[in-house]
Amino acid sequence: MLGTIIEKELKSIILSPKFVATFAACSILILLSVWVGIQDYQASVEQYEAALKLNQQALSERNWAGFATSAYRPPDPMQIFVSGVNNDIGRLSSISRAADVKLRNSIYSDDPIFAVFRFVDLTFIVQIVLSLFAILFTYDAVNGEREGGTLALTFANPVPRAHFILGKFAGSWLGLVIPLAIPILLSMLLVMLSGVPMTPAHWQKVAMLMGAALLFFTFFLCFGVLVSSLTRRSAVSFLLSLVAWVVLVLIIPRMGVMAAGQSIQVPSMAEIESMQEGFAQSRWDEYKNEAQERWKERMSQTQGLSAEERTVANKQKMQQWMLEDSQFRAKVQEEIAAYQRRLTEERRNQLALQESLALTLARVSPAAAFQLTAMTLADTDIYLKARAEDTMRTYRDEVLELAEEKAGKQGDAMGHAMSFSFTTRTPPEKVSDEDGSSDGSGSSGSSDPSGSSSGDSGGGSAKPGAFRMSFSGGGAESPTLDPAEVPAYTPPDRTLEAALAPSILDLGLLALYSLAAFAAAFLAFLRYDVR
């Protein structure tokens, strides 16, 4: 009897006019989304490779003392199926001593039109389109037969209610899932024929993604049968199912995020950047004042010497002075970078609390649980930015340490060796001492964040033997570096186990929601009036 009910349900679904329309629409959408995803991925790979070449060319024109580079996030084949936040976060970050790591130049910032309409990926189709189709085929599974009179005829025979409801579930599931597997398999074949470098780990993640999609689809099949078992008229069940779909898929996830945002306040990036810039400006102002005092003290040490003796003395000490200034400057840069990292870490901790609350509230919706699972499996989840920036900071520390070591070996003194000259001022023929007006030579110095330094001494009228001294930056050019010596940035590599561990909770919730909907529908039908 159970087999007969399943066969009847299968024929009812496959032979219905709405099945042809929905199957054609799903097939076109799935194949089109994967094809567009492949094109987008291949374009991203081309841009990534071009950016690397330009970065290598820029490196070949630099020296180790003035080292700066960029780190780029490489495209991942999983973005074909689940775009997640991949297009929202930046694709590169500058790597230098003067600034902390910060991702910038996202796809949506470069092309805002895509941010308006977003990216239609496989996750979107499952979450929105297939869930609606599941409700469309099951909202009248029970009350539709009661309205047609076939339900009373069926139970005029000795048919167990458990067999009937199980047959309804099995027939609906097989009638919808098996046909939809055809375009999915064709899309996988399209990926292979396109030459996308999918590893075994990628295929395993895709298989897990399909499993999560089946659980999500199964929930809405069970939910449709549940609503049909609780109502007497199919028009009422369709309306209730549609309202419930809007609440579960569209409203609850967004309301959860909004509620978390109001409960836990997190400073915006603009506020953090303003604080960082204010600290940096204040620290550089202090550095300039300290540098001026140092140069005045250094110049005062040679005040009693003749012009030639002063020239020789300053030449002997200039390299040491510039090295000391470079060390002071590096210390200021490290303090600024440490302050930036501290503010960023504090914001990240607050943001983690906010995200945890938001995700907890959003997971009440099966749609949110499925989306979080899909994004985690595809490594395009909300923590992608933090993972990329963490590895880039580690890379920054390593490559800057290497640059400092290389610059020291080249004797560049961090790129601030100085050439200088002395100019003797010709004393005037007559100097009036009656009013006691005489102006001895003084000294001043300045140094800015860019590394330029100058010392200057001079005066208005000078007594015989006074002189004017000036320094000009820019010593001998350091040899350019070899880009092959610069280590390449390695992006975070998450294995299947690392991606699956955070997904267990959401996969468990999807399974729990499906079982709960099935059990509720089963119990509701046991008490249903078939007349």
Side-chain angles (χ1 to χ4, degrees):
M1 183 61 68
L2 179 61
T4 303
I5 297 174
I6 293 176
E7 181 181 356
K8 172 182 174 297
E9 190 66 20
L10 279 171
K11 289 181 179 179
S12 175
I13 290 176
I14 294 176
L15 298 178
S16 64
K18 60 183 179 183
F19 174 79
V20 177
T22 55
F23 176 73
C26 287
S27 299
I28 293 173
L29 285 173
I30 291 173
L31 291 171
L32 184 62
S33 70
V34 172
W35 181 80
V36 172
I38 293 172
Q39 301 303 311
D40 181 74
Y41 170 76
Q42 291 176 341
S44 299
V45 170
E46 292 178 0
Q47 293 175 359
Y48 172 73
E49 292 175 349
L52 289 182
K53 290 180 180 178
L54 290 175
N55 189 52
Q56 290 289 97
Q57 182 178 354
L59 280 174
S60 64
E61 299 172 359
R62 293 181 177 272
N63 54 48
W64 286 110
F67 179 81
T69 185
S70 296
Y72 297 85
R73 285 195 310 112
D76 189 292
M78 289 301 296
Q79 71 186 56
I80 295 173
F81 309 103
V82 188
S83 61
V85 301
N86 179 71
N87 297 329
D88 298 87
I89 66 174
R91 293 172 288 181
L92 64 99
S93 173
S94 8
I95 304 296
S96 66
R97 190 175 296 278
D100 192 20
V101 168
K102 181 182 178 183
L103 287 173
R104 55 188 175 85
N105 288 20
S106 69
I107 295 177
Y108 287 160
S109 66
D110 293 342
D111 299 305
I113 186 64
F114 294 108
V116 176
F117 297 104
R118 311 299 290 180
F119 186 79
V120 180
D121 55 10
L122 192 59
T123 303
F124 175 85
I125 294 174
V126 172
Q127 188 178 19
I128 304 297
V129 180
L130 294 187
S131 59
L132 271 176
F133 286 166
I135 288 178
L136 180 63
F137 278 93
T138 56
Y139 77 92
D140 60 348
V142 175
N143 54 23
E145 291 208 21
R146 189 197 68 82
E147 291 177 335
T150 56
L151 187 62
L153 290 176
T154 299
F155 284 98
N157 300 300
V159 178
R161 290 200 174 203
H163 286 186
F164 181 83
I165 195 66
L166 286 174
K168 279 286 182 180
F169 278 122
S172 300
W173 196 89
L174 293 173
L176 294 175
V177 170
I178 293 180
L180 289 176
I182 297 174
I184 291 176
L185 292 176
L186 289 176
S187 64
M188 299 301 108
L189 180 61
L190 182 61
V191 171
M192 290 187 289
L193 294 177
S194 299
V196 177
M198 297 282 288
T199 64
H202 285 138
W203 287 118
Q204 291 172 352
K205 291 178 180 179
V206 170
M208 294 299 301
L209 176 61
M210 294 300 105
L214 280 179
L215 285 175
F216 178 70
F217 187 69
T218 300
F219 166 78
F220 276 99
L221 283 175
C222 298
F223 184 78
V225 177
L226 169 62
V227 176
S228 181
S229 301
L230 293 174
T231 56
R232 304 282 293 171
R233 298 175 56 191
S234 58
V236 175
S237 64
F238 178 75
L239 180 61
L240 292 176
S241 298
L242 188 59
V243 171
W245 179 87
V246 171
V247 172
L248 291 174
V249 175
L250 301 179
I251 295 180
I252 290 181
R254 289 161 177 78
M255 290 299 296
V257 174
M258 292 173 60
Q262 294 298 319
S263 301
I264 301 176
Q265 299 295 328
V266 178
S268 65
M269 283 304 301
E271 295 173 337
I272 295 296
E273 290 174 358
S274 176
M275 295 171 63
Q276 291 174 345
E277 290 175 3
F279 178 82
Q281 184 63 44
S282 173
R283 194 64 188 87
W284 282 122
D285 289 342
E286 292 177 8
Y287 169 78
K288 288 181 180 180
N289 294 332
E290 293 170 357
Q292 289 177 358
E293 294 299 324
R294 283 196 302 272
W295 279 102
K296 288 180 180 179
E297 182 180 352
R298 290 164 179 170
M299 294 297 102
S300 66
Q301 296 174 4
T302 58
Q303 287 297 322
L305 303 178
S306 65
E308 293 182 359
E309 291 174 337
R310 180 178 292 186
T311 301
V312 173
N314 282 299
K315 281 185 176 180
Q316 292 174 348
K317 297 180 179 179
M318 186 57 63
Q319 189 75 9
Q320 177 184 354
W321 288 346
M322 298 311 301
L323 181 58
E324 290 175 356
D325 281 351
S326 178
Q327 291 172 348
F328 282 120
R329 190 165 36 252
K331 181 180 178 182
V332 172
Q333 290 173 337
E334 287 298 329
E335 290 178 4
I336 293 173
Y339 182 78
Q340 291 174 338
R341 284 194 294 267
R342 182 169 64 82
L343 287 182
T344 302
E345 187 65 24
E346 290 176 356
R347 181 181 184 274
R348 182 181 294 183
N349 292 336
Q350 290 178 284
L351 192 60
L353 292 175
Q354 186 187 76
E355 290 171 349
S356 178
L357 178 59
L359 297 182
T360 300
L361 297 176
R363 283 187 172 102
V364 175
S365 165
F370 168 70
Q371 185 173 4
L372 292 173
T373 301
M375 292 167 61
T376 303
L377 289 172
D379 294 333
T380 58
D381 55 301
I382 59 175
Y383 304 110
L384 173 61
K385 181 179 180 181
R387 289 196 299 269
E389 288 183 341
D390 286 343
T391 55
M392 286 182 181
R393 286 191 181 94
T394 303
Y395 172 73
R396 174 183 179 271
D397 294 339
E398 293 174 354
V399 77
L400 289 181
E401 182 179 354
L402 174 64
E404 186 173 353
E405 178 184 349
K406 292 284 187 179
K409 290 181 179 179
Q410 289 180 353
D412 291 332
M414 298 301 291
H416 296 285
M418 301 289 288
S419 66
F420 53 91
S421 62
F422 297 95
T423 302
T424 303
R425 174 180 288 276
T426 302
E429 295 180 358
K430 295 182 181 180
V431 180
S432 176
D433 292 330
E434 295 178 358
D435 57 357
S437 63
S438 65
D439 189 64
S441 62
S443 65
S444 63
S446 65
S447 179
D448 58 21
S450 65
S452 62
S453 302
S454 64
D456 183 50
S457 66
S461 60
K463 293 182 179 180
F467 63 94
R468 179 178 180 85
M469 178 176 65
S470 63
F471 299 92
S472 60
E477 288 292 333
S478 301
T480 57
L481 60 83
D482 181 5
E485 294 182 307
V486 180
Y489 164 67
T490 303
D493 183 21
R494 298 182 77 203
T495 61
L496 176 64
E497 292 76 13
L500 184 59
S503 303
I504 293 178
L505 173 61
D506 294 310
L507 287 171
L509 285 174
L510 286 174
L512 179 62
Y513 289 147
S514 299
L515 288 174
F518 175 80
F522 188 86
L523 294 176
F525 183 73
L526 292 181
R527 302 172 59 184
Y528 191 78
D529 186 1
V530 299
R531 293 172 297 174

